[in-house]
Amino acid sequence: MNLRSDKTKKGIIRAPHRSLMKATGLTDEEILQPFVCVVNSWNECIPGHIHLDKLAQSAKAGIRYAKCTPFEFHTIAICDGIAMGHEGMKYSLPSREIIADSIELQIRAHQMDGMLLIPSCDKISPGHLMASARLNIPTIVVTGGPMYPGFVNDNKVDLISVFESVGRYNVNEISKDELKIIENFACPGAGSCAGLFTANTMGCLIEALGMSLPGCGTALAVEGKKHRIAKESGMKIKELIDNDIKSRDILTYDAFENAIIIDMAIGGSTNTTLHIPAIAKECEIKLELEIFDKISRKIPQIVSIRPGGNHFMEDLERAGGIQAVMSNLRDKLNLDVLTVTGETLQKNLEKFKIINPAKNKEVIMDLNKPYHKEGGIFILKGNLSPNGSVVKVGAVNEKILKFFGKAKVFDCEEDANDAIIRKKIKGSDVVVIRYEGPKGGPGMREMLQATSALAGQGLIDSVALITDGRFSGGTRGLAIGHVSPEAAEKGPIAIVKDGDIIEIDLPNRSLNLKISSEEIKERTKNLKIKKKILSGVLNRYAASVTSANTGAIFE
């Protein structure tokens, strides 16, 4: 069998290379075997990642069992929760491209035969998948898994509970001591935050794409099942190498369509409209933003997890996870797609069995009795977002699907957050936060602090937020992000003034500024774009990144 790694180790001419390998402790037998890189995003900064060192040990055990030789290296990993609400969030989305580049550099330089990816949180998993698609070698992904929810006053809580409790404290609904209790117990340990936020959404969609073994997306971080999946993934990689099953053999257009179908059915994070097209681009597949809305109109939302519902990721896991969701949607999916099992999705689903039937029926609805008749994400257009904007409709109160209000405009997130904390936002306001797009931010910050503060103050169902930035998967309420073109590119959001009337019509997918087209032209003509002095990685990012409606990718 010819191996990619033979370029680094085979023949007399590679004696120096083998000598260096032996300096790391490798034997001749290990050098002869296929080389598999374990790409790990472990670090000590993030609860979603603190356990990945142990998960890698399980994966490497499986790789060795399959007579392959593992090599582990690490990528960077930023926690959106810790970066939230300050300058740090500018660096989260740019890290996606850097992660993909760093993996490409390491794998290309050392000519590895396969990869086992171990990512977890928000931009890290997409970065790993982008690299996998770009490199197009045999790859399996083992996502880190969800955190358990915490308990306070006999109720389940999570990170969003803490964010929203800050707002409750600001309106004297809870005391400082009560806030401290929630802070202490909301996040009990390792794993990505307990609801269907971006990290867990991506874990689910990676499984739906066929890049993880069945059950991986919802397997909880601290349970033995996750380690068994890691070992089994390590064993399976040899089969993929032997049969030369590469990433792009799995990441086809039909597979991406399946992932979007599952995204709509579970009510996932709006960040998927950035990440799925970015991964597809690396496969030389173009996914227009409109495909999300096209599928949303056909696929009902049959799962409702925090922040949109009351269930947590542990409930979806007990209900059968993504395999159970896909079983319910069998007639809607492309079943002949290949997966990392080496078999088709149809074959995988034929083997799936429901272990907890009562929990399954409680969490995953039938298609004829869904939580919502349409999917969890809508794409809105209109004179305020000509190229599109995104809303997680599954987390919006059905009473405010149509909204009419006066704009309160802020040119950065900090000013909006300050106004909310000082109780300057009232019912029927439309908070507009601009110059936070991919170029204008730069980095397209998430506005979870703003939405959570409004929720804590009891305003989440009477105030709308609109931004050319984005929202956390943990955001709930009428929060419309990814407004394109962004303010920094002279998009209409840049000309909105305090007091302007904005009309939001979710059923009709429209977002409009209620002024005449002549007034829009006049304001645009006189518009002066606010420039920011940039340096370092943000300067390079702003110069290269494209609009949110294209996935905020690099050309």
Side-chain angles (χ1 to χ4, degrees), residues 140-141 207 210-217 228-229 232-234 236 323 340-341:
I140 294 181
V141 186
E207 181 180 336
M211 288 298 292
S212 290
L213 291 182
C216 184
R228 294 196 299 274
I229 289 173
E232 290 163 358
S233 297
K236 181 63 68 172
Q323 297 299 300
V340 292
T341 65

Side-chain angles (χ1 to χ4, degrees), residues 42-209:
W42 172 85
N43 67 35
E44 295 180 338
C45 301
I46 315 177
H49 295 246
I50 57 171
H51 64 303
L52 299 187
D53 56 337
K54 298 178 180 62
L55 205 58
Q57 295 302 320
S58 295
K60 287 187 286 188
I63 292 168
R64 292 190 181 99
Y65 185 88
K67 303 301 181 184
C68 294
T69 302
F71 298 85
E72 184 178 358
F73 75 90
H74 294 173
T75 68
I76 61 170
I78 292 172
C79 176
D80 281 16
I82 295 172
M84 193 72 65
H86 56 82
E87 181 186 2
M89 180 51 75
K90 293 177 183 288
Y91 294 87
S92 175
L93 188 57
S95 75
R96 185 185 72 178
E97 267 54 38
I98 291 171
I99 289 166
D101 289 348
S102 70
I103 297 171
E104 178 189 4
L105 290 168
Q106 186 78 32
I107 297 298
R108 291 281 192 216
H110 285 241
Q111 293 293 303
M112 291 292 162
D113 300 303
M115 293 192 298
L116 193 150
L117 306 176
I118 308 181
S120 185
C121 295
D122 299 23
K123 310 309 165 299
I124 300 93
S125 294
H128 280 226
L129 260 290
M130 288 166 66
S132 173
R134 189 184 301 173
L135 291 163
N136 195 29
I137 65 175
T139 305
I140 294 181
V141 186
V142 181
T143 47
M147 179 189 296
Y148 275 111
F151 277 89
V152 174
N153 294 325
D154 294 322
N155 293 313
K156 291 181 181 180
V157 290
D158 57 20
L159 180 65
I160 305 307
S161 308
V162 190
F163 271 103
E164 294 186 359
S165 291
V166 173
R168 294 172 63 199
Y169 171 76
N170 287 332
V171 294
N172 300 316
E173 187 178 318
I174 61 172
S175 68
K176 193 171 183 178
D177 287 343
E178 289 173 309
L179 176 58
K180 186 70 172 180
I181 290 171
I182 297 169
E183 172 189 329
N184 286 345
F185 293 99
C187 299
S192 46
C193 299
L196 189 62
F197 316 144
T198 304
N200 288 325
T201 299
M202 286 307 304
C204 291
L205 298 196
I206 289 168
E207 181 180 336
L209 281 166

Side-chain angles (χ1 to χ4, degrees), residues 7 54 190 203-204 211 266 282 300 320 323 386 398 505 536:
K7 296 176 184 177
K54 298 178 180 62
C204 291
M211 288 298 292
I266 64 177
E282 300 292 351
Q323 297 299 300
E398 292 187 352
D505 187 341

Side-chain angles (χ1 to χ4, degrees), residues 269-404:
S269 166
T270 52
N271 281 310
T272 58
T273 65
L274 297 173
H275 300 322
I276 295 299
I279 298 165
K281 175 184 176 288
E282 300 292 351
C283 298
E284 300 179 5
I285 296 171
K286 188 172 183 179
L287 291 180
E288 303 283 357
L289 182 63
E290 286 73 19
I291 191 174
F292 287 86
D293 201 62
K294 179 182 177 182
I295 291 175
S296 178
R297 293 175 186 268
K298 298 178 180 178
I299 301 299
Q301 184 178 343
I302 60 174
V303 174
S304 187
I305 297 175
R306 291 269 294 169
N310 295 321
H311 291 128
F312 292 79
M313 287 301 296
E314 67 163 346
D315 297 307
L316 180 56
E317 164 66 3
R318 305 296 178 236
I322 293 306
Q323 297 299 300
V325 176
M326 296 180 96
S327 293
N328 278 28
L329 290 160
R330 187 187 299 265
D331 293 340
K332 307 287 186 181
L333 294 166
N334 303 302
L335 296 176
D336 60 348
V337 294
L338 185 64
T339 74
V340 292
T341 65
E343 297 185 311
T344 63
L345 174 59
Q346 180 167 330
K347 291 289 186 181
N348 292 346
L349 292 179
E350 287 173 359
K351 297 176 183 178
F352 171 71
K353 294 181 180 179
I354 295 171
I355 305 301
N356 302 303
K359 194 68 173 177
N360 176 271
K361 291 181 179 180
E362 174 196 335
V363 176
I364 304 172
M365 300 294 103
D366 292 327
L367 296 186
N368 58 352
K369 292 183 180 180
Y371 288 102
H372 304 286
K373 292 181 179 179
E374 295 181 289
I377 294 174
F378 284 8
I379 306 302
L380 312 182
K381 289 192 174 182
N383 65 14
L384 191 49
S385 59
N387 294 342
S389 55
V390 184
V391 62
K392 186 173 182 174
V393 70
V396 179
N397 189 321
E398 292 187 352
K399 295 179 181 178
I400 55 169
L401 296 182
K402 294 186 176 183
F403 195 91
F404 204 80

